[in-house]
Amino acid sequence: MTGPLAPGDIPDEGDVIKLIGVHRTFDSDPPVHALRDVNLTVRRGEHLSIVGPSGSGKSTLLNTLGLLDSPSSGDYWLDGVRTGALTDRQRTALRGSSIGFVFQSFHLLPYRTVEENVMLAEIYRRPRPGRARRSRAERARAALDRVGLSHRHGFRPDRLSGGERQRVAIARALMSEPALLLCDEPTGNLDSENTLSVLDLFDQLGAQGMTLVVITHDEAVSRRATKRVRIHDGQLSQEYA
Amino acid sequence: MRHRRRAVAADPEKKAGRPWIAPRDLWTEAVAGVLARPLRSALTTLGTVLGIGTLVITIGVASTAAHQIVGRFNALTATSVTVEVPPPASDTVPLVDWEGIAAVDRLAGVESSAALAQTDELAAVQVRTNDVVTPGGLSGQTLAVAAASPSLPAAVRGDVTAGRFYDGGDIARHARVAVLGDQAARLLGITEVNDSPAVFFNGHSFTVIGILGGFKREQRLSTSVILPPTTARDRLGLGTVNRVLINTSLGAAQQVARQSPVALTPNSAKALTVLAPPDLSKARKGVQGDVNSLFLVLGLVSLIVGAIGIANVTLVTVMERVGEIGLRRALGASRRQIAGQFLMESTTIGLLGGVIGAALGTVVVVSVSAVKDWTPVLDGRLALGAPVVGAVVGLLAGVYPSLRASRMEPVEALRAPS
Ligand SMILES: Nc1ncnc2c1ncn2[C@@H]1O[C@H](COP(=O)(O)OP(=O)(O)OP(=O)(O)O)[C@@H](O)[C@H]1O
Ligand SMILES: [Mg+2]
């Protein structure tokens, strides 16, 4: 830890995410300033939506929040832990134990069934009480059920429609019951009916205490969030409901 | 409150736990990875199959052959000693006389012995029987004539198949009797001796009193007419011992070979030539050494080629699965677990190659043995060790690709499609 912290820089109890003066610069030629002086606080159980034009830095922000990428400068506190001070191993463990992802491009393994893809969310975690290896398939079915896909559990991902793949990716994220769920365009491929049911699901998750960060282009989706921010050219601006 | 949270912040591992995967899950993931492209995995095992197969075949055939050769030594060669007696200078006494073998029989380890007299003049003699009447007058067979001690049947490990062999009485009486080798008897058409058939050659007739067959050594006597030494000297001038056959107990051959010349002729032992079997253990080693080295090198080269093949394909697989690596990192896989999975996959392929190679090699060794009528000698350690060697080859081959996989940054990896 470097130097004394200003009083406002220490997150409160209940702040799941706290970004303080975060920059992310890619050393390409020319350098890209994907995030500029981003400050953001998200509290437990909140549902944050991020909107912004293509290339504005939304995915970069999400990767940073998911500990997949590190800020070039600034601090990221996750659930009271100052992540900049962690080793690679510690970041990995924290990511595996408390963060779930729904990626823009799904990232399903083509050679595994839908059910196996969902079960994958659990193999890198120590078995917890009530979550034994034996009942893993059962829980995967339950997660698929929540997105309305239990009838497709034996399919390979390449036989599914885009919307179905997206829902499998959501089921996989639910499987590990993360404290923080990060979604990149989770409804991009869904029709309005499926979008509504996914949004209802998000509401339920929020009520259970799960913190959600959702990137979206869809105004309807954004409106269901409890908190909204807009990102433009790497800069964040608050929006008010 | 704040204090408690600081404690958590100071030790995040306690909160998150260390990256962890159940061994069974690691295995399941690796097998799924191998089976994702079954044809490619099968082709990748080929190098290891060839390498392990060659090694198993080489070692298996070599030890089978060695066992076979040594087996023959045991049965016969290892206990056979032959002493060659040079012809005496004219007018001097023979180096070895017929009673000389009694001294050999007294040596420790000697089981039987016999003296033989054969000459070039009597190697091809026209022999007739009394009852063969061939039109044209040309009858009989070309056979050899030899004189031998009465102990000959034991010395050649043969059997008297008809009648009897001559004994000391026949020798003392200078009896005009003969024993036929079984081939000689067949050629002359004599199958039994109850009616006292006779053979004629060089103007003499001899009564056939027995047939000797089943020669285990000195096979050319089977086409000979064998006479008592006294009779042979009187009638044919065949009286000088030129060969002594000795059979020893197992392991005694070397010692008997050293001692027998002295026993036969104490004063000129050096003039005798002794043919003794080679040292048994040396023979076994020699055979194994010859067969092994070239093919062992071949097998090892195939193994190295196999390892390079596995390394190459695993590297290609890693590059194709960059997106998957990113996903696994996002799901909480540590660098070590990523490396572990690809190591496990390459090890599985190597193991598979080892199992198939060992199986094929064993089949080949057994078939070769069956064709050659050998007893296959298969070392259990070899059959079990071969798959282990295959697995180690796969493990080593996987080191570089696995390191490459584990070094990938999650964000970069996730940019690739999966
Ligand atoms: N590794 C990198 N090297 C250089 N530039 C990068 C890198 N990653 C992202 N960028 C740039 O950073 C900017 C933000 O990228 P990002 O993926 O966050 O956009 P986005 O808001 O998610 O866009 P979209 O809505 O199209 O997904 C883009 O201009 C992109 O080109
Ligand atoms: Mg994006």
Side-chain angles (χ1 to χ4, degrees), chain A residues 26 28 32 34 53-60 104 185 217, chain B residues 412 415:
Chain A
F26 292 109
S28 49
V32 177
S54 181
S56 58
K58 302 184 296 294
S59 294
T60 306
Q104 201 166 6
E185 298 278 4
H217 279 120
Chain B
E412 302 295 327
R415 231 185 289 282

Side-chain angles (χ1 to χ4, degrees), chain A residues 46-182:
Chain A
E46 264 186 333
H47 174 175
L48 173 75
S49 90
I50 302 173
V51 293
S54 181
S56 58
K58 302 184 296 294
S59 294
T60 306
L61 178 58
L62 207 74
N63 289 337
T64 305
L65 295 177
L67 297 176
L68 292 167
D69 198 2
S70 310
S72 307
S73 66
D75 273 332
Y76 171 27
W77 294 78
L78 174 63
D79 205 12
V81 177
R82 189 163 174 252
T83 60
L86 300 182
T87 64
D88 186 68
R89 230 170 120 70
Q90 290 168 328
R91 293 161 62 84
T92 301
L94 202 53
R95 182 165 63 233
S97 65
S98 48
I99 303 175
F101 295 90
V102 178
F103 292 106
Q104 201 166 6
S105 49
F106 323 136
H107 283 293
L108 301 175
L109 300 189
Y111 61 94
R112 310 295 283 276
T113 64
V114 161
E115 186 178 80
E116 286 168 337
N117 265 286
V118 173
M119 293 198 297
L120 214 57
E122 230 180 49
I123 68 167
Y124 297 106
R125 330 179 94 192
R126 226 167 251 287
R128 288 170 292 170
R131 304 184 70 84
R133 195 180 187 281
R134 234 177 310 113
S135 57
R136 195 183 282 166
E138 240 166 77
R139 275 174 284 123
R141 294 281 176 93
L144 282 168
D145 211 24
R146 290 181 86 171
V147 296
L149 270 184
S150 49
H151 60 297
R152 291 275 186 267
H153 66 89
F155 278 49
R156 308 245 162 207
D158 52 14
R159 305 257 304 274
L160 300 181
S161 72
E164 286 173 325
R165 288 181 210 187
Q166 192 144 40
R167 284 185 281 156
V168 174
I170 294 172
R172 181 178 61 198
L174 297 180
M175 174 80 178
S176 57
E177 292 186 338
L180 173 61
L181 180 58
L182 306 174

